[in-house]
Amino acid sequence: MRELASVAVLMLAVATLSGCSSDYVMATKDGQMIMTEGKPTIDKETGLVKYVDQSGHEVQINGDEVSTIIER
């Protein structure tokens, strides 16, 4: 019974934490719509926008190609 209670608490914690991260949509100047997991970050030194795609891969795109970033 105690194991069941600890599993339930763990699942509740995971559900709570997963609800905190928002997904974003990036629109590029050539018309692509890129769905991201979490908020993309902009590297001011290189001008690259780093994000995690829907497959979980970390990707970088030139910031000049991005027109807007919107939270879903």
Side-chain angles (χ1 to χ4, degrees):
M1 185 68 171
R2 186 177 185 127
E3 290 176 29
L4 182 62
S6 49
V7 169
V9 169
L10 179 63
M11 290 181 73
L12 180 61
V14 169
T16 302
L17 291 175
S18 66
C20 294
S21 73
S22 299
D23 293 336
Y24 285 75
V25 178
M26 291 192 314
T28 62
K29 292 182 180 173
D30 66 356
Q32 292 182 35
M33 300 299 276
I34 302 170
M35 307 296 186
T36 71
E37 292 184 2
K39 186 174 184 175
T41 58
I42 302 169
D43 186 342
K44 296 187 190 255
E45 289 182 22
T46 63
L48 295 174
V49 177
K50 186 179 358 178
Y51 63 94
V52 177
D53 67 9
Q54 295 286 309
S55 301
H57 298 100
E58 190 172 290
V59 183
Q60 292 182 344
I61 187 172
N62 189 336
D64 293 338
E65 298 176 21
V66 177
S67 61
T68 56
I69 300 174
I70 302 169
E71 186 175 4
R72 268 195 334 183

